[in-house]
């Protein structure tokens, strides 16, 4: 191996890149990739009300197919640093483990695909045999994700960049390295149901209209199943997360009652169709007798799914060759930047084991970094034949 993924991961972990700080992580990758012959672009995106964010795009090769590796260098805050066995931004090696915030989510993953790409290039005289390798690395994944991958992809498309397939290096494995490829993730939508009534003294029922009486049947109606799942997904789920009246007075009926909910939805729904379905159910349940409204939060968390086929087979066989285990294709878990990438090319997620992500003492076995680099190296080799 020409490039050492452990050294790259350690150097990245020493950059304190808590969103929205770049922390030196992209500057470090810029230097490494430029030296290997990549053309590297650093793009800062901003929007009113959000912090400006630095991003990086790098490509080597000019022809198709263009294989993209994607990831984020930003990390969630470390919390109480004194609770850590080793400082969260020291990149300490101890007992075969590399410690630090972002070790698995996902500086470790980035180190592995960078090392794999550099090794492939070195083995082929410094350039791809055919096709291109692109790296899309954002500093805005862990927070609101508006100045990162979504804008970086738009920028790349405007330059005429075309992508054929993408591997997103998020920690995808559940228990042991190689057990899971993520070939889809559910979408997420937040809403509030508001029932409107009339305030009044609890002793005079003819003078008030209690919104809580209306809220109960509407909540019941919205909790009926949304679907029975799909080929690759479990059933969608609507879950109420809060019911709020905010009434400190014992003898007063409030004017309004609210219930907040989140929906995790599969590929049977679009956001618009889902909103229409929920509103239809409320209409039916209210039968014209309950005054209510919905407040939907804007969401950029659409569902993504990649059907099993040659690309997932290629990744699965690369993993099996390195680990001896055939990974399963999963669509469980929260959202990721794959929701944006899927609009440009098929995408799958494969990275480290997710167990210590966001936890105190986030850490990765050195053996897993070496295995993941070997998997990415096999994927590149197979992809370009
Ligand atoms: Zn992540």
């Amino acid at each position: 191996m020409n490039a050492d993924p452990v050294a790259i991961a350690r150097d990245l972990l020493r950059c304190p890149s808590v969103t929205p700080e770049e922390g030196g992580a992209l500057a470090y990758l810029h230097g490494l990739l430029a030296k290997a012959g990549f053309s590297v672009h650093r793009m800062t995106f901003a929007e009113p009300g959000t912090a400006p964010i630095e991003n990086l795009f790098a490509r080597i090769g000019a022809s198709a197919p263009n294989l993209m590796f994607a990831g984020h260098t930003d990390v969630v805050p470390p919390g109480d640093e004194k609770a850590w066995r080793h400082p969260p931004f020291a990149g300490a090696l101890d007992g075969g483990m590399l410690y630090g915030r972002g070790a698995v989510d996902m500086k470790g993953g980035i180190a592995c695909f960078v090392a794999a790409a550099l090794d492939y290039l070195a083995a082929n005289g410094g350039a791809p045999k055919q096709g291109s390798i692109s790296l899309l690395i954002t500093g805005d994944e862990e927070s609101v994700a508006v100045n990162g991958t979504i804008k970086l992809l738009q920028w790349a498309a405007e330059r005429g960049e075309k992508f054929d397939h993408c591997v997103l290096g998020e920690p995808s494995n559940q228990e042991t390295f190689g057990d899971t490829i993520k070939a889809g993730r559910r979408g997420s939508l937040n809403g509030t149901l508001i029932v409107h009534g009339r305030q009044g003294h609890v002793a005079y029922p003819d003078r008030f209209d209690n919104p809580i009486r209306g809220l109960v049947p509407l909540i019941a109606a919205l909790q009926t199943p949304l679907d029975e799942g799909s080929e690759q997904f479990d059933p969608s789920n609507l879950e109420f997360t809060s019911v709020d009246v905010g009434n400190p007075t014992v003898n007063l009926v409030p004017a309004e009652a609210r219930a907040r909910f989140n929906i995790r939805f599969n590929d049977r729904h679009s956001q618009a169709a889902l909103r229409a379905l929920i509103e239809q159910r409320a209409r039916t349940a209210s039968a014209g007798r309950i005054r209510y409204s919905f407040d939907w939060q804007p969401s950029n968390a659409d569902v993504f799914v990649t059907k099993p086929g040659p690309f997932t087979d290629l990744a699965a066989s690369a993993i099996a060759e390195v680990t001896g285990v055939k990974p399963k294709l999963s669509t469980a878990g929260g959202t990721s930047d794959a929701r944006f990438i899927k609009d440009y090319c098929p995408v799958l997620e494969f990275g480290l084991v997710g167990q210590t992500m966001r936890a105190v003492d986030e850490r990765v076995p050195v053996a897993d970094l070496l295995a993941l680099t070997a998997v990415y190296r096999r994927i590149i080799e197979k992809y370009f034949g």
Side-chain angles (χ1 to χ4, degrees):
M1 187 65 56
N2 275 288
D4 179 3
V6 182
I8 299 172
R10 186 201 56 213
D11 290 346
L12 285 173
L13 288 173
R14 290 178 177 167
C15 303
S17 52
V18 176
T19 333
E21 296 302 326
E22 184 267 338
L26 294 178
Y28 169 76
L29 290 174
H30 187 162
L32 204 59
L33 295 167
K35 218 173 97 195
F38 280 84
S39 61
V40 184
H41 305 267
R42 297 267 294 282
M43 307 299 302
T44 299
F45 298 119
E47 200 164 288
T50 61
I53 303 273
E54 281 195 55
N55 299 273
L56 180 150
F57 177 75
R59 176 171 177 161
I60 191 163
S63 60
N66 184 5
L67 176 62
M68 185 210 302
F69 287 93
H72 62 88
T73 49
D74 63 318
V75 295
V76 296
D80 179 10
E81 300 201 13
K82 286 194 276 305
W84 286 64
R85 185 186 173 98
H86 298 285
F89 299 109
L93 271 167
D94 180 9
M97 292 277 184
L98 180 62
Y99 283 75
R101 174 56 82 227
V104 293
D105 186 13
M106 58 162 283
K107 289 173 172 176
I110 290 174
C112 293
F113 64 62
V114 167
L118 298 187
D119 188 64
Y120 173 78
L121 294 171
N124 288 279
K129 261 186 292 197
Q130 53 148 336
S132 308
I133 299 174
S134 292
L135 305 182
L136 187 115
I137 299 176
T138 179
D140 190 20
E141 201 274 343
E142 296 289 13
S143 181
V144 287
V146 296
N147 292 319
T149 298
I150 190 167
K151 289 196 170 79
L152 197 51
L153 285 163
Q154 282 161 2
W155 170 86
E158 280 160 20
R159 281 171 45 89
E161 299 283 350
K162 291 204 165 36
F163 305 105
D164 293 282
H165 293 90
C166 175
V167 176
L168 176 59
E170 289 281 1
S172 61
N173 298 293
Q174 307 283 303
E175 305 286 336
T176 55
F177 180 76
D179 65 13
T180 310
I181 293 174
K182 280 216 159 80
R185 289 188 187 240
R186 293 170 300 176
S188 174
L189 185 61
N190 285 301
T192 306
L193 166 66
I194 306 150
V195 176
H196 311 279
R198 192 169 73 245
Q199 197 185 60
H201 194 289
V202 75
Y204 301 94
D206 54 325
R207 293 188 201 163
F208 62 74
D209 172 14
N210 190 348
I212 298 170
R213 284 180 181 265
L215 190 66
V216 172
L218 292 189
I219 285 180
L222 298 196
Q223 288 185 124
T224 50
L226 292 163
D227 56 63
E228 289 170 345
S230 68
E231 204 179 323
Q232 284 173 263
F233 284 89
D234 285 338
S236 304
N237 186 48
L238 183 152
E239 206 60 42
F240 282 94
T241 53
S242 186
V243 174
D244 305 288
V245 176
N247 179 11
T249 313
V250 292
N251 59 4
L252 188 78
V253 169
E256 191 178 277
R258 293 169 168 257
R260 271 203 333 232
F261 58 89
N262 173 266
I263 309 173
R264 294 295 161 126
F265 60 96
N266 61 31
D267 54 347
R268 287 185 180 274
H269 308 270
S270 68
Q271 286 189 36
L274 198 54
R275 284 195 296 265
L277 174 66
I278 297 301
E279 289 176 3
Q280 175 57 46
R281 286 183 173 183
R283 212 158 28 244
T284 305
S286 80
R289 291 191 302 271
I290 304 168
R291 288 187 298 131
Y292 67 91
S293 56
F294 281 97
D295 184 8
W296 295 101
Q297 256 178 42
S299 166
N300 59 15
D302 272 321
V303 67
F304 99 84
V305 63
T306 297
K307 302 272 178 227
F311 185 52
T312 54
D313 289 350
L314 182 151
S317 66
I319 294 161
E321 284 165 25
V322 171
T323 66
V325 181
K326 194 175 179 303
K328 69 171 192 294
L329 292 184
S330 160
T331 57
T335 66
S336 73
D337 275 355
R339 65 190 144 148
F340 307 128
I341 299 168
K342 66 114 170 50
D343 293 335
Y344 295 83
C345 67
V347 51
L348 59 78
E349 297 179 34
F350 185 74
L352 294 161
V353 182
Q355 272 170 353
T356 62
M357 59 193 265
R358 295 179 178 227
V360 165
D361 288 338
E362 182 173 346
R363 61 197 179 277
V364 59
V366 166
D368 284 7
L369 290 172
L370 300 178
L372 181 58
T373 306
V375 167
Y376 288 150
R377 182 70 171 80
R378 293 294 300 147
I379 288 176
I380 296 170
E381 193 76 49
K382 286 168 176 283
Y383 192 81
F384 295 110

